[in-house]
Amino acid sequence: MIQRRRKRWLVAACFATLLSPAQAAKVEFFDDINEGPVPLGMEEHRYLAFGEVMFDYYRHANFNAINKLLVNQELSLFNEDTDYAELLLGDLYVTYGLPGKAEVIFNRLLEKDILSRTRAQTWLHKAALHYREGNLAEAAMILDGDNVEGLDPADDARRRLMLANILMAEEDFTGALDYLHSVPLSTDEGRYATYNMGVALIRGGHRDQGLALLKSLLEAGGSSDQALALRDRAALAAGLTALREGNLQSARADLRQVRSDGPFSEDALLALGLANYRAGEVKRALPLWLEAVRRNSSHPSVQEALMLAPRAYEELGGLPQALAGYQYAAAEYRQALKDVQRAIDNIAKPGWSEALLPEDRNQTGLLPANSGDLAQGSELSYLYKLFSSNDFAQRFEHYRQIHQIKTMVENWQQALPALQETHQIQQQRLSRNLPHVRGEMTRHMSRQEQLAMASDRVSAAIPNFVDMSNPADVATPEQAVMWKKVDALARQFGTLPGSTHANALRLRKVRGLLLWDIAHQSIEQREKQEQAATQLREESSVLGERIAAVQQQIRDATLRTRDDLGQRLAGQTQRIETIKRLTEDTLEALEKSMKADALALLLANQQRLADQLAEAHLAVARLQDSSVSDGSTQRKGS
C-alpha cells in the first residue's frame, strides 16, 4: 500500500512538473519535422498520373485518357501489375472498337490473384465485351455465374439489365422479368428496361404482362426530361396496342396521358384522332387532326394527318373545306419533297460527315454537332431514325475517333520539321560548346580536389585539446591582431625607446590580460573552428557532387551528339504519311457508308411523300369532278 501511494505521488509530481508554466514555456512541438519538399515515391507518382487519366475519362476525353495510359506504360509507371490501370485500359479498348486487345487484358487480369471486387468488375467488362460483339451466349454465361458476385449496386444493376436484354432476345420473358424486378424503377436504367420489356412482351404475344409493365411506368415518379419522355412513350405504346386490338375506350384513356407539348405529341394526336374516328365520332377526331397539321410538316404523323383532316371534313359534308384541306396537303407535300431533295443534295456535298463532328473533340452526345442547322433545314426530321439507330451511332463514333487520330497525326506532321530543326540546332550548339566546357570542367575538378585536400589539412591541423602555446590559433580575429602586436612589442622591447621597467610591467600586465581573455574564450572559439572546418569539408563534398553531376550531363550531351535521333526523326516522316493515308482511307469508307444509309432513308421518305402527293392530287381532282358533276346535274334539273 505504501509503495502504491508512493507511485501515485511520483506520477502526480511528474505531471505537475510537465504542466508547470516554467517548464511548458521551454517545450517545442514538432521541432524535429523537416518542412522542406519531400520527394515522391513511385506509388505517389503512379497515383498522380492515374488521377490525370481519370480526369480525362470522366470528362469523356477518352482519347486523351488512353494516350496517357499508353505513354505511362512506356515510362514504366504503369505495367501489368497495376490492375486498376489495366482494367481502365481494357474498358477504353472496348470503347475504341479493339475487342482483341481488351480481351487480352481481361484474361491476363483474371489469371492473377487480384481482389474479389476487381475480379468481379473484370468479369463484368469481359461480359460487356461479348455482349457488344453479339456473343450473347458467352455474355450470359459470365453474367449468370458466380464470378460476378461482389459487384457494387450500380454494376450489379448493369449486369441484370444485360441479362434481361439477352433473355428478351431469346424470348425468355419469364427469366427476363425475374432480373428486372430487382432493378429500381426510380432509375433511368430501370425505366428503360421496363419499357423495353413491356414492348417485347406485347410483341411476343404476352399482351397483359406487357401492358402491365407499360402502365407501371405511367405511375412511376421522376420529373427529369428522360422520365417524362419515357412516360409519354409508354402511354403511346399502350394506346396503340389497344387501338390495334379495337379497344377504343382503353386506347383513348391511355393516349390522353401523353403530354401535348412532349416529343410524342404528334403521334398521340394522330392515334387519338383515329380512335375517335373508328368509334364513329368524326367531329371529335377532326379537331385533333387539325391540331396535328399545325405542327412540323416533316413529321410522319403530321404528314398522315394532312390527308385525314380533309377526309373528315368530306364525311361531315364540308366539301369546300375538304377541297381546301387536300390542296393544303398537296402544297405541304411539295414543300416536304423540296426539303428532302435539299437534304439529299446537302449529303452529296463533300464534308457532310465532318460537319457532324463537334468542335470540342471530347464532347459526346447522340445528336450531331450541327443539329440546329439540320433542324432548320428539316433534314434532322427525316434522319432522326438514322441517328437513333445503334449501328449508325457506332459507325459515327468510330468516324469521330478516327478523325481524332487523323488530327493528332496532322499535328505530328506539322511539329516534325520543328523537331528536326531543333535537333540540328542542338547538335551544332553541343559540338561547338562541348570542348570548351570539358576544359573548364577539368580546371574546376582540379581546383575542387585542391580545396578538398586543403580542407582535410585544416581539419587535421586542429588539435584535440586547447593548446595555449600559440594563442593566436584559439583567438578571435580581433584578439589575434592584438596578440600579434603585443608579442612583437615584447620581442623588441629592449630595442625600443622608453623600454623602462615600468613599461615592461605594463606590457606584461597587458599580455597577461590578453592571454586570460584568449584562454577564457578558447573553448568556444575552438568549437567554432571545428564547425567551420566541418562546414568547409561538407561544402567541398557538395561541390564535388555538383561537379560529378555536371560531368554526367556532359557525358549525356556527348552521347546526344552521337545518337541516331536525327535518323529516327527522318524515318518518322514516312510512317506519319502512311498512318495519315490509312486514316483518310478509313474515314472515306465510313463517310460513304454513312452517306449511303442517309440517302437510302431519304429516298424512302421521298417515295412515300410522292405517293402521298399523288393521293392528295387525286382527292382534289375527285372533289372537283364531283362538284362539276353536281353543278351540271342541277342545271339539267332546272
Side-chain angles (χ1 to χ4, degrees), residues 240 242-246 248 272-282 285 289:
L240 290 176
L243 183 61
R244 292 191 190 97
E245 296 175 350
L248 302 180
L272 187 56
L274 284 173
N276 292 330
Y277 182 83
R278 291 180 182 178
E281 301 178 3
V282 182
W289 290 335

PDB file of all heavy atoms in Angstrom, residues 240 242-246 248 272-282 285 289:
ATOM      1  N   LEU A 240     -51.545   2.593 -78.591  1.00  0.00           N
ATOM      2  CA  LEU A 240     -51.501   1.990 -79.925  1.00  0.00           C
ATOM      3  C   LEU A 240     -51.828   0.503 -79.868  1.00  0.00           C
ATOM      4  O   LEU A 240     -52.473  -0.042 -80.788  1.00  0.00           O
ATOM      5  CB  LEU A 240     -50.111   2.204 -80.533  1.00  0.00           C
ATOM      6  CG  LEU A 240     -49.755   3.641 -80.922  1.00  0.00           C
ATOM      7  CD1 LEU A 240     -48.315   3.731 -81.408  1.00  0.00           C
ATOM      8  CD2 LEU A 240     -50.704   4.164 -81.991  1.00  0.00           C
ATOM      9  N   ALA A 242     -53.824  -0.981 -77.672  1.00  0.00           N
ATOM     10  CA  ALA A 242     -55.281  -1.085 -77.515  1.00  0.00           C
ATOM     11  C   ALA A 242     -56.011  -0.704 -78.799  1.00  0.00           C
ATOM     12  O   ALA A 242     -57.056  -1.286 -79.139  1.00  0.00           O
ATOM     13  CB  ALA A 242     -55.739  -0.192 -76.359  1.00  0.00           C
ATOM     14  N   LEU A 243     -55.452   0.260 -79.560  1.00  0.00           N
ATOM     15  CA  LEU A 243     -56.084   0.687 -80.812  1.00  0.00           C
ATOM     16  C   LEU A 243     -56.042  -0.430 -81.844  1.00  0.00           C
ATOM     17  O   LEU A 243     -57.019  -0.652 -82.577  1.00  0.00           O
ATOM     18  CB  LEU A 243     -55.385   1.939 -81.329  1.00  0.00           C
ATOM     19  CG  LEU A 243     -55.960   2.567 -82.607  1.00  0.00           C
ATOM     20  CD1 LEU A 243     -57.406   3.013 -82.382  1.00  0.00           C
ATOM     21  CD2 LEU A 243     -55.103   3.759 -83.042  1.00  0.00           C
ATOM     22  N   ARG A 244     -54.927  -1.144 -81.916  1.00  0.00           N
ATOM     23  CA  ARG A 244     -54.821  -2.260 -82.871  1.00  0.00           C
ATOM     24  C   ARG A 244     -55.807  -3.371 -82.526  1.00  0.00           C
ATOM     25  O   ARG A 244     -56.305  -4.082 -83.410  1.00  0.00           O
ATOM     26  CB  ARG A 244     -53.400  -2.798 -82.871  1.00  0.00           C
ATOM     27  CG  ARG A 244     -52.370  -1.850 -83.441  1.00  0.00           C
ATOM     28  CD  ARG A 244     -51.037  -2.546 -83.648  1.00  0.00           C
ATOM     29  NE  ARG A 244     -49.978  -1.585 -83.978  1.00  0.00           N
ATOM     30  CZ  ARG A 244     -49.131  -1.088 -83.100  1.00  0.00           C
ATOM     31  NH1 ARG A 244     -49.227  -1.446 -81.818  1.00  0.00           N
ATOM     32  NH2 ARG A 244     -48.209  -0.230 -83.473  1.00  0.00           N
ATOM     33  N   GLU A 245     -56.061  -3.556 -81.248  1.00  0.00           N
ATOM     34  CA  GLU A 245     -56.971  -4.614 -80.820  1.00  0.00           C
ATOM     35  C   GLU A 245     -58.435  -4.182 -80.859  1.00  0.00           C
ATOM     36  O   GLU A 245     -59.320  -4.989 -80.566  1.00  0.00           O
ATOM     37  CB  GLU A 245     -56.605  -5.067 -79.404  1.00  0.00           C
ATOM     38  CG  GLU A 245     -55.219  -5.697 -79.322  1.00  0.00           C
ATOM     39  CD  GLU A 245     -54.847  -6.027 -77.895  1.00  0.00           C
ATOM     40  OE1 GLU A 245     -55.579  -5.594 -76.984  1.00  0.00           O
ATOM     41  OE2 GLU A 245     -53.839  -6.715 -77.702  1.00  0.00           O
ATOM     42  N   GLY A 246     -58.689  -2.910 -81.183  1.00  0.00           N
ATOM     43  CA  GLY A 246     -60.064  -2.432 -81.252  1.00  0.00           C
ATOM     44  C   GLY A 246     -60.635  -1.986 -79.933  1.00  0.00           C
ATOM     45  O   GLY A 246     -61.833  -1.659 -79.852  1.00  0.00           O
ATOM     46  N   LEU A 248     -61.142   0.682 -78.144  1.00  0.00           N
ATOM     47  CA  LEU A 248     -61.046   2.125 -78.369  1.00  0.00           C
ATOM     48  C   LEU A 248     -61.119   2.920 -77.072  1.00  0.00           C
ATOM     49  O   LEU A 248     -60.446   3.950 -76.924  1.00  0.00           O
ATOM     50  CB  LEU A 248     -62.163   2.569 -79.317  1.00  0.00           C
ATOM     51  CG  LEU A 248     -62.169   1.857 -80.685  1.00  0.00           C
ATOM     52  CD1 LEU A 248     -63.317   2.380 -81.542  1.00  0.00           C
ATOM     53  CD2 LEU A 248     -60.841   2.057 -81.390  1.00  0.00           C
ATOM     54  N   LEU A 272     -55.048   9.316 -81.345  1.00  0.00           N
ATOM     55  CA  LEU A 272     -56.291   9.639 -80.632  1.00  0.00           C
ATOM     56  C   LEU A 272     -57.389  10.014 -81.629  1.00  0.00           C
ATOM     57  O   LEU A 272     -58.569   9.660 -81.446  1.00  0.00           O
ATOM     58  CB  LEU A 272     -56.037  10.765 -79.645  1.00  0.00           C
ATOM     59  CG  LEU A 272     -57.182  11.121 -78.693  1.00  0.00           C
ATOM     60  CD1 LEU A 272     -57.623   9.897 -77.893  1.00  0.00           C
ATOM     61  CD2 LEU A 272     -56.758  12.247 -77.745  1.00  0.00           C
ATOM     62  N   GLY A 273     -57.011  10.717 -82.682  1.00  0.00           N
ATOM     63  CA  GLY A 273     -57.996  11.025 -83.725  1.00  0.00           C
ATOM     64  C   GLY A 273     -58.508   9.772 -84.412  1.00  0.00           C
ATOM     65  O   GLY A 273     -59.712   9.647 -84.701  1.00  0.00           O
ATOM     66  N   LEU A 274     -57.613   8.814 -84.671  1.00  0.00           N
ATOM     67  CA  LEU A 274     -58.038   7.554 -85.278  1.00  0.00           C
ATOM     68  C   LEU A 274     -58.973   6.784 -84.353  1.00  0.00           C
ATOM     69  O   LEU A 274     -59.944   6.147 -84.806  1.00  0.00           O
ATOM     70  CB  LEU A 274     -56.809   6.698 -85.605  1.00  0.00           C
ATOM     71  CG  LEU A 274     -55.997   7.121 -86.836  1.00  0.00           C
ATOM     72  CD1 LEU A 274     -54.722   6.292 -86.937  1.00  0.00           C
ATOM     73  CD2 LEU A 274     -56.819   6.971 -88.107  1.00  0.00           C
ATOM     74  N   ALA A 275     -58.694   6.808 -83.038  1.00  0.00           N
ATOM     75  CA  ALA A 275     -59.575   6.123 -82.088  1.00  0.00           C
ATOM     76  C   ALA A 275     -60.983   6.730 -82.119  1.00  0.00           C
ATOM     77  O   ALA A 275     -62.001   6.001 -82.119  1.00  0.00           O
ATOM     78  CB  ALA A 275     -58.974   6.200 -80.691  1.00  0.00           C
ATOM     79  N   ASN A 276     -61.055   8.057 -82.140  1.00  0.00           N
ATOM     80  CA  ASN A 276     -62.368   8.696 -82.219  1.00  0.00           C
ATOM     81  C   ASN A 276     -63.048   8.412 -83.559  1.00  0.00           C
ATOM     82  O   ASN A 276     -64.271   8.209 -83.634  1.00  0.00           O
ATOM     83  CB  ASN A 276     -62.227  10.204 -82.015  1.00  0.00           C
ATOM     84  CG  ASN A 276     -61.813  10.554 -80.594  1.00  0.00           C
ATOM     85  OD1 ASN A 276     -62.142   9.839 -79.644  1.00  0.00           O
ATOM     86  ND2 ASN A 276     -61.088  11.650 -80.434  1.00  0.00           N
ATOM     87  N   TYR A 277     -62.267   8.395 -84.615  1.00  0.00           N
ATOM     88  CA  TYR A 277     -62.831   8.168 -85.952  1.00  0.00           C
ATOM     89  C   TYR A 277     -63.415   6.765 -86.051  1.00  0.00           C
ATOM     90  O   TYR A 277     -64.515   6.564 -86.576  1.00  0.00           O
ATOM     91  CB  TYR A 277     -61.721   8.376 -86.981  1.00  0.00           C
ATOM     92  CG  TYR A 277     -62.178   8.214 -88.412  1.00  0.00           C
ATOM     93  CD1 TYR A 277     -62.796   9.252 -89.090  1.00  0.00           C
ATOM     94  CD2 TYR A 277     -61.976   7.009 -89.084  1.00  0.00           C
ATOM     95  CE1 TYR A 277     -63.206   9.107 -90.411  1.00  0.00           C
ATOM     96  CE2 TYR A 277     -62.379   6.851 -90.403  1.00  0.00           C
ATOM     97  CZ  TYR A 277     -62.992   7.902 -91.059  1.00  0.00           C
ATOM     98  OH  TYR A 277     -63.395   7.750 -92.365  1.00  0.00           O
ATOM     99  N   ARG A 278     -62.675   5.770 -85.517  1.00  0.00           N
ATOM    100  CA  ARG A 278     -63.176   4.391 -85.581  1.00  0.00           C
ATOM    101  C   ARG A 278     -64.372   4.186 -84.660  1.00  0.00           C
ATOM    102  O   ARG A 278     -65.182   3.281 -84.893  1.00  0.00           O
ATOM    103  CB  ARG A 278     -62.066   3.434 -85.204  1.00  0.00           C
ATOM    104  CG  ARG A 278     -60.949   3.374 -86.230  1.00  0.00           C
ATOM    105  CD  ARG A 278     -59.857   2.406 -85.814  1.00  0.00           C
ATOM    106  NE  ARG A 278     -58.772   2.409 -86.783  1.00  0.00           N
ATOM    107  CZ  ARG A 278     -57.650   1.665 -86.643  1.00  0.00           C
ATOM    108  NH1 ARG A 278     -57.496   0.886 -85.577  1.00  0.00           N
ATOM    109  NH2 ARG A 278     -56.714   1.731 -87.565  1.00  0.00           N
ATOM    110  N   ALA A 279     -64.458   5.024 -83.649  1.00  0.00           N
ATOM    111  CA  ALA A 279     -65.631   4.953 -82.771  1.00  0.00           C
ATOM    112  C   ALA A 279     -66.832   5.676 -83.377  1.00  0.00           C
ATOM    113  O   ALA A 279     -67.907   5.729 -82.747  1.00  0.00           O
ATOM    114  CB  ALA A 279     -65.302   5.545 -81.408  1.00  0.00           C
ATOM    115  N   GLY A 280     -66.705   6.221 -84.579  1.00  0.00           N
ATOM    116  CA  GLY A 280     -67.797   6.924 -85.235  1.00  0.00           C
ATOM    117  C   GLY A 280     -67.936   8.370 -84.816  1.00  0.00           C
ATOM    118  O   GLY A 280     -68.900   9.037 -85.233  1.00  0.00           O
ATOM    119  N   GLU A 281     -67.015   8.875 -84.039  1.00  0.00           N
ATOM    120  CA  GLU A 281     -67.079  10.255 -83.561  1.00  0.00           C
ATOM    121  C   GLU A 281     -66.137  11.112 -84.411  1.00  0.00           C
ATOM    122  O   GLU A 281     -65.063  11.503 -83.988  1.00  0.00           O
ATOM    123  CB  GLU A 281     -66.707  10.318 -82.084  1.00  0.00           C
ATOM    124  CG  GLU A 281     -67.612   9.476 -81.202  1.00  0.00           C
ATOM    125  CD  GLU A 281     -67.188   9.509 -79.737  1.00  0.00           C
ATOM    126  OE1 GLU A 281     -66.225  10.241 -79.430  1.00  0.00           O
ATOM    127  OE2 GLU A 281     -67.805   8.809 -78.924  1.00  0.00           O
ATOM    128  N   VAL A 282     -66.575  11.365 -85.652  1.00  0.00           N
ATOM    129  CA  VAL A 282     -65.733  12.104 -86.597  1.00  0.00           C
ATOM    130  C   VAL A 282     -65.531  13.544 -86.134  1.00  0.00           C
ATOM    131  O   VAL A 282     -64.453  14.122 -86.299  1.00  0.00           O
ATOM    132  CB  VAL A 282     -66.365  12.058 -88.010  1.00  0.00           C
ATOM    133  CG1 VAL A 282     -65.477  12.772 -89.019  1.00  0.00           C
ATOM    134  CG2 VAL A 282     -66.615  10.623 -88.438  1.00  0.00           C
ATOM    135  N   ALA A 285     -62.722  13.637 -83.837  1.00  0.00           N
ATOM    136  CA  ALA A 285     -61.431  13.333 -84.463  1.00  0.00           C
ATOM    137  C   ALA A 285     -60.884  14.528 -85.228  1.00  0.00           C
ATOM    138  O   ALA A 285     -59.661  14.751 -85.276  1.00  0.00           O
ATOM    139  CB  ALA A 285     -61.583  12.132 -85.397  1.00  0.00           C
ATOM    140  N   TRP A 289     -56.857  16.215 -85.533  1.00  0.00           N
ATOM    141  CA  TRP A 289     -56.049  16.207 -86.754  1.00  0.00           C
ATOM    142  C   TRP A 289     -55.731  17.620 -87.217  1.00  0.00           C
ATOM    143  O   TRP A 289     -54.652  17.872 -87.779  1.00  0.00           O
ATOM    144  CB  TRP A 289     -56.798  15.437 -87.844  1.00  0.00           C
ATOM    145  CG  TRP A 289     -56.845  13.944 -87.543  1.00  0.00           C
ATOM    146  CD1 TRP A 289     -55.980  13.244 -86.786  1.00  0.00           C
ATOM    147  CD2 TRP A 289     -57.831  13.022 -87.993  1.00  0.00           C
ATOM    148  NE1 TRP A 289     -56.333  11.927 -86.731  1.00  0.00           N
ATOM    149  CE2 TRP A 289     -57.478  11.745 -87.464  1.00  0.00           C
ATOM    150  CE3 TRP A 289     -58.988  13.105 -88.785  1.00  0.00           C
ATOM    151  CZ2 TRP A 289     -58.224  10.594 -87.720  1.00  0.00           C
ATOM    152  CZ3 TRP A 289     -59.723  11.957 -89.044  1.00  0.00           C
ATOM    153  CH2 TRP A 289     -59.347  10.717 -88.506  1.00  0.00           C
TER     154      TRP A 289
END
